[in-house]
Amino acid sequence: MPKLGMEPIRRAALVKATIDEIGAAGNLDVTVSSIAKRAGMSSALAHHYFGGKEQIFLAAMRHTLAIYAAEVRLALGQAQGHRARLEAIVRAGFTSSNFQPDVIAAWLNFYVLAQTSEDAHRLLQLYQRRLHSNLVHDLRPLIGTGADQAAARIAALIDGYYLRQGLARDAAERSDATRQVLAFLEIELKGRVQ
Amino acid sequence: MPKLGMEPIRRAALVKATIDEIGAAGNLDVTVSSIAKRAGMSSALAHHYFGGKEQIFLAAMRHTLAIYAAEVRLALGQAQGHRARLEAIVRAGFTSSNFQPDVIAAWLNFYVLAQTSEDAHRLLQLYQRRLHSNLVHDLRPLIGTGADQAAARIAALIDGYYLRQGLARDAAERSDATRQVLAFLEIELKGRVQ
DNA sequence: TTTTATTGATTGACGAGTCAATAAAGAACA
DNA sequence: TGTTCTTTATTGACTCGTCAATCAATAAAA
């Protein structure tokens, strides 16, 4: 019973199923069939709408990135002042939604894919540039020269902590990433060399 | 012409070939056959010596980690004083040998594997703990309380920068990671909050 | 009747792991 | 010394399974 206008619905379902499937597997060794089954359709339909496996992956990655970007935007919208905005950026990166196993899996595999896929790399660069420019925007008024370098350090620290937290198993391994990055921000702001 | 005592030679060749193959592919989608061919033997022999694919991977990861550990040890051995030792640790993480594409590929895929493989996770923890304790050892005498936290930040920063540098394509994207991390170290040492 | 939705069946390829067979090196032994 | 046995090295061939992608066919809407 072909209802028209199914395409966006099917695509969304496939994207969702892809993220879930990658999360369950931990890697990109997931079949189009398993994704399609999880999304409640045949694999032929998945191919019909996306063309191939890699395109399905990329759509899933774009979706993950978009959610993160929206979270950052929201947090920034509610923050008052440079300092609060910086904190908002940091906090947005470490919300519990970002530590869902499937989101972590998406990011890690995203990094792997970025080595060889031009599209994935471009997407990653987009994320990195956005983060960097967000940080610089509110660091510059506070510390002027060196804001660029400080932003680079903070961005790398966010990524580094995310990686560690994401791969931590038990509570003992885990630390309060937000607090640590904020402490670092504190140091960058107050403990300027010079 | 079965010369005896081939096992260690074959194993080493397979480990080397595995790293090369993963480097060439960028991911773990490499076949035992391709690895064996690169190492100059049949796939059956690879199975004979390692049992299965995952064990070959783990051996390759262990090898990569061992090389890194040796580099750190060497650098530490030549450094005089706490400050110099800290710098040595940082520098060791960013030597050009660590930025060979195949080494980067090994690390990224290692992270992916650490999500699901108990062995890989254990190995990763080993690396993280060693780095942390190395840092604390020389931070404590310099800054006392808070050395633990500072070490955690520096370790995360190293990982974060490595990730960024490893995934950078052109020189424009790349920055001097060593200098940045050392600048941060400087801030941690001199710009103590309290 | 043209467009959109949908799938079962098929194709063509590849891959992990097994196994039986071959061969050489050393050990035991007569 | 020559003979037989055991261990180690090595591979071609094979099994069994999987999977991406295609296609022809069905069906409902416009």
Side-chain angles (χ1 to χ4, degrees):
Chain A
M1 41 197 153
K3 302 148 195 174
L4 296 208
M6 289 302 287
E7 177 155 358
I9 298 169
R10 293 304 202 186
R11 289 184 97 100
L14 282 168
V15 162
K16 174 73 165 56
T18 302
I19 294 169
D20 290 352
E21 200 70 13
I22 293 175
N27 54 49
L28 297 185
D29 271 336
V30 295
T31 70
V32 175
S33 296
S34 67
I35 292 172
K37 174 182 269 186
R38 193 185 276 260
M41 71 194 82
S42 73
S43 70
L45 196 55
H47 274 101
H48 173 67
Y49 281 127
F50 277 98
K53 202 177 172 180
E54 177 151 351
Q55 281 140 299
I56 301 181
F57 282 154
L58 282 171
M61 299 297 182
R62 257 180 231 114
H63 186 250
T64 302
L65 268 281
I67 288 177
Y68 169 74
E71 281 185 1
V72 172
R73 254 196 315 278
L74 180 69
L76 279 179
Q78 296 174 331
Q80 299 286 336
H82 298 302
R83 177 59 185 268
R85 286 170 59 88
L86 288 171
E87 288 199 19
I89 294 170
V90 172
R91 286 186 201 282
F94 294 106
T95 57
S96 66
S97 73
N98 281 319
F99 286 111
Q100 297 303 308
D102 52 342
V103 174
I104 294 167
W107 274 97
L108 295 182
N109 284 289
F110 186 34
Y111 287 137
V112 167
L113 201 61
Q115 291 173 103
T116 54
S117 159
E118 196 53 55
D119 290 309
H121 183 256
R122 207 180 353 256
L123 211 56
L124 179 60
Q125 249 188 356
L126 197 72
Y127 152 75
Q128 288 178 339
R129 283 182 186 154
R130 204 142 49 185
L131 175 57
H132 186 266
S133 96
N134 278 340
L135 288 170
V136 168
H137 176 268
D138 290 297
L139 277 172
R140 179 105 52 210
L142 296 176
I143 59 177
T145 317
D148 206 69
Q149 303 281 295
R153 286 190 289 267
I154 293 171
L157 190 66
I158 289 174
D159 287 358
Y161 258 114
Y162 182 75
L163 194 63
R164 298 195 150 225
Q165 289 294 95
L167 289 172
R169 297 250 164 127
D170 43 79
E173 264 185 89
R174 215 162 283 135
S175 66
D176 190 338
T178 311
R179 188 187 305 278
Q180 282 282 49
V181 179
L182 288 180
F184 177 67
L185 174 63
E186 187 81 13
I187 294 172
E188 284 278 358
L189 293 180
K190 292 199 178 161
R192 307 258 70 226
V193 182
Q194 242 39 279
Chain B
M1 38 195 154
K3 303 149 195 172
L4 295 207
M6 289 302 287
E7 178 156 356
I9 297 168
R10 294 303 201 185
R11 289 184 96 99
L14 282 168
V15 162
K16 174 73 166 58
T18 302
I19 294 169
D20 289 352
E21 199 70 13
I22 292 175
N27 53 49
L28 297 184
D29 272 335
V30 296
T31 70
V32 175
S33 297
S34 67
I35 292 172
K37 174 182 270 186
R38 191 184 279 259
M41 70 194 82
S42 73
S43 71
L45 197 55
H47 275 102
H48 173 67
Y49 282 127
F50 277 98
K53 202 177 170 179
E54 177 150 352
Q55 282 140 298
I56 301 181
F57 282 155
L58 282 171
M61 298 300 182
R62 258 181 231 113
H63 186 249
T64 302
L65 267 283
I67 289 177
Y68 169 74
E71 281 186 0
V72 172
R73 254 196 316 277
L74 181 70
L76 279 179
Q78 296 174 332
Q80 299 287 336
H82 298 302
R83 178 57 186 269
R85 285 171 59 88
L86 289 170
E87 288 200 18
I89 294 170
V90 172
R91 286 185 201 282
F94 295 105
T95 57
S96 67
S97 73
N98 281 318
F99 286 111
Q100 297 304 308
D102 52 341
V103 174
I104 294 167
W107 274 98
L108 295 181
N109 284 289
F110 186 34
Y111 287 137
V112 168
L113 200 62
Q115 291 174 102
T116 55
S117 159
E118 195 54 55
D119 291 309
H121 183 256
R122 210 180 350 258
L123 210 56
L124 179 61
Q125 251 189 355
L126 197 72
Y127 152 75
Q128 288 178 340
R129 283 181 186 155
R130 206 143 46 187
L131 176 56
H132 186 266
S133 95
N134 278 339
L135 288 170
V136 168
H137 177 269
D138 289 298
L139 277 171
R140 178 108 50 209
L142 295 176
I143 59 178
T145 318
D148 206 69
Q149 303 280 297
R153 286 190 288 267
I154 293 171
L157 190 65
I158 289 174
D159 288 358
Y161 257 114
Y162 182 75
L163 195 62
R164 299 196 150 226
Q165 289 295 96
L167 289 172
R169 298 251 164 127
D170 43 81
E173 262 184 272
R174 214 162 283 138
S175 65
D176 189 339
T178 310
R179 187 186 304 277
Q180 283 282 51
V181 178
L182 289 180
F184 177 60
L185 175 64
E186 187 81 14
I187 294 173
E188 284 275 0
L189 293 181
K190 293 198 177 160
R192 307 262 63 226
V193 182
Q194 242 38 273

